[in-house]
Amino acid sequence: MTDITTGNTITFQGPPAVSGGAEARSRGYWAGVARRLRHDRFTLFFLALALLIILGALIAPWLGLPDPFQTSMARRLKPIGFKGHLLGTDELGRDLFSRLVYGGRTSLLLGIVPVVLATLIGGLLGVVAGFFGRGVNMLIMRVMDVFYAFPSVLLAVAISGTLGGGILNGLIALTLVFIPSLCRIAESATVQIRALDYIEAARATGASNWSIIRTHVIGNVLTPVVVYASSLISVAVLLGAGLSFLGLGVEPPTPDWGQMLSSLRQSIYVQPLICALPGLAIFLTSLSFNFISDGLRRAMDVKA
Amino acid sequence: MIGYIIKRMLYIIPVCLGVTAVCFALMYLAPGDPAQALLPPDATPEDAAYLLRLYGFDQPVWVQYGRWVLRAASGDLGVSLQSQRPVFREVMSALGNTAVLSAGAVLLAFVLAFILGTVAAYNIGSRIDQASTTLSITGVSVPNYWLGIVLVIVFAVELGWLPAAGMGSAGSDSFSLTDWAQLRYAILPIITMSVLPLGIIMRSVRASVAEALGQESIQLLRAKGLPPYAILTHAVKNAFPQILAVMGLQFGFLVGGSILVETIFNWPGTGFLLGKAILTRDVPLLQGTILVLSISFVIINLVVDVLQSIFDPRVRRT
């Protein structure tokens, strides 16, 4: 299977499919995952960094930071360390550090919410398509194929460009971009599990479709879907900030990393270092989520 | 093989129909009614009525869709509201400029990824391998719109070695890769664009070369006492179709997703056109550009699949 956003081949070595889903899989598997993660210092470092960025965004109003909206004509584009401004000021004299911390709110929102929504919607569609097969599968998967025919950046720009700017439209666009790939992962995992004997056994005991899906399918599909979804957060952060950079997504004066990068771009001849900072925030966030996802994938790999 | 190719080509018909349906639906997603979106703000009611009839907005949706597809198939994508020029001509002339950047970026990415990925695969599990994995994850984490700005700051603003934006004095009509005066404009955008495919192609080179190295046929070569260089040549030959496919797909992604990099460098390609269309709310231009780009992506994918099936017979069985 090929990944929509990165084009690389997705191979997943999940936990062995066991009847009864997550609980019956025994504590052994998840304890092993946790143990491997605990010993992975590299991943732990980026986990800490991501948590720091998330925490900063969550408690921004209580950090005693300067007002991120307070403009000052006299204090425009001041360098890093200028009195009272840890990371200097932007082109309207607003405190850059404060705006970076607040900017994390919208940037993380655009990075996390679409992935969660797409996991729920795409995952459910995939399970339904994989479990019921035939016509249902045809219908769902062919529609997904059409959305697969768009490069992800183009689809996101097309949808939010047509709907117009704004966070809500950005969220809708990004969610639609991620649904097809998650749907495919869930579908192929479901098809594999459905072929196993214990599903047949459950059916023979008279279990309904819905209860088979709930007790036997979801638990086994969850792992590959969640591992893949975790890798999408970094893509969503990049795409979401990219939309805001283009003037879609988050609109001024709400601080957002992509939008800040775009407006500071005009000042690269005056304060080059300051202008690069919002992009650095995007980079570090995306990097953290990518390394976390990679560490998670390695920790969940039972081959190891 | 011919059978596979025909099957694969027939498959793009429903996909293209779906793609056109999505592009058509975009016009209805736009706020306000579609006729309004097509009109310049200073249009008179007579203009509006004329347009309504001309585009058949008074007809049922499926009739409108059918007409639109037929017109699009004959190369009529309407007229840009801003430039008053046919959208098809504008998009097609921009497409070449985007292809120059995308091809340059994929080639650059491939050369680096091939060397790094092969070295990593040969030393799998070693420090070198870990470093290359870290590098490839870093590559896919970099926001290229930020990297472009950083490169401009370093090489254009601070050092003054390369131009910050644009395509050179000759403009887009006669872009020549052999003319240094023009080529220097393409260097920073190409480097910027190459970082994401570099990370992805490297991962794929590493995985497919490592897989090829693990095969019994290669182990036999090793047992025969072949030197590492000769063994690698065999492994790379086996891995090549897979790598080629990933490269082709990345080229497609770059062509379709060039908007951010082209916006930064004012590069007059399709992405730049798309950005302009969004900014000015030029709906025919927006719709036409998206249609041409997505159809191009479908065709690039088709070419990649067909090429891969020629080079690697194993693909045809799946």
Side-chain angles (χ1 to χ4, degrees), chain B residues 236-310:
Chain B
V236 165
K237 235 187 254 172
N238 272 328
F240 210 72
Q242 174 71 28
I243 298 167
L244 201 74
V246 173
M247 252 177 84
L249 199 62
Q250 286 307 308
F251 177 68
F253 275 116
L254 288 185
V255 170
S258 63
I259 179 165
L260 286 155
V261 173
E262 285 181 5
T263 303
I264 289 166
F265 290 101
N266 282 330
W267 186 267
T270 46
F272 187 68
L273 208 59
L274 200 59
K276 207 168 70 179
I278 290 170
L279 214 64
T280 55
R281 298 216 63 79
D282 190 336
V283 174
L285 187 61
L286 182 69
Q287 200 182 29
T289 314
I290 293 168
L291 180 69
V292 170
L293 285 179
S294 46
I295 299 285
S296 310
F297 187 63
V298 172
I299 293 171
I300 291 170
N301 274 329
L302 171 74
V303 172
V304 168
D305 277 2
V306 169
L307 281 181
Q308 201 190 6
S309 80
I310 292 171

Side-chain angles (χ1 to χ4, degrees), chain A residues 137-293:
Chain A
N137 186 298
M138 262 290 270
L139 183 73
I140 295 178
M141 298 321 286
R142 290 301 83 80
V143 171
M144 293 300 148
D145 281 355
V146 168
F147 283 94
Y148 245 69
F150 291 90
S152 42
V153 177
L154 183 67
L155 188 58
V157 167
I159 297 170
S160 63
T162 326
L163 287 175
I167 296 184
L168 185 66
N169 290 343
L171 289 177
I172 295 173
L174 291 180
T175 306
L176 285 172
V177 166
F178 294 131
I179 287 176
S181 51
L182 285 159
C183 180
R184 275 199 182 176
I185 305 258
E187 192 248 7
S188 72
T190 308
V191 167
Q192 275 175 27
I193 286 154
R194 204 179 66 125
L196 297 178
D197 285 342
Y198 71 85
I199 299 283
E200 207 54 51
R203 220 188 280 277
T205 63
S208 69
N209 280 335
W210 176 236
S211 84
I212 293 176
I213 288 179
R214 213 178 43 209
T215 52
H216 300 299
V217 178
I218 301 266
N220 286 311
V221 170
L222 208 60
T223 319
V225 168
V226 166
V227 168
Y228 180 68
S230 75
S231 77
L232 284 182
I233 292 182
S234 119
V235 180
V237 167
L238 291 181
L239 266 181
L243 286 181
S244 306
F245 181 83
L246 291 171
L248 303 165
V250 182
E251 288 171 318
T254 310
D256 174 271
W257 296 334
Q259 183 254 112
M260 286 162 72
L261 184 65
S262 162
S263 58
L264 277 168
R265 190 160 73 93
Q266 320 302 327
S267 315
I268 51 170
Y269 290 91
V270 190
Q271 281 289 0
L273 204 57
I274 296 272
C275 300
L277 283 177
L280 190 65
I282 305 171
F283 177 42
L284 286 179
T285 308
S286 145
L287 193 68
S288 304
F289 281 114
N290 247 332
F291 279 128
I292 294 169
S293 158

Side-chain angles (χ1 to χ4, degrees), chain A residues 51-67:
Chain A
L51 288 176
L52 192 72
I53 295 168
I54 295 173
L55 190 72
L58 282 177
I59 62 167
W62 298 280
L63 286 175
L65 295 165
D67 182 355

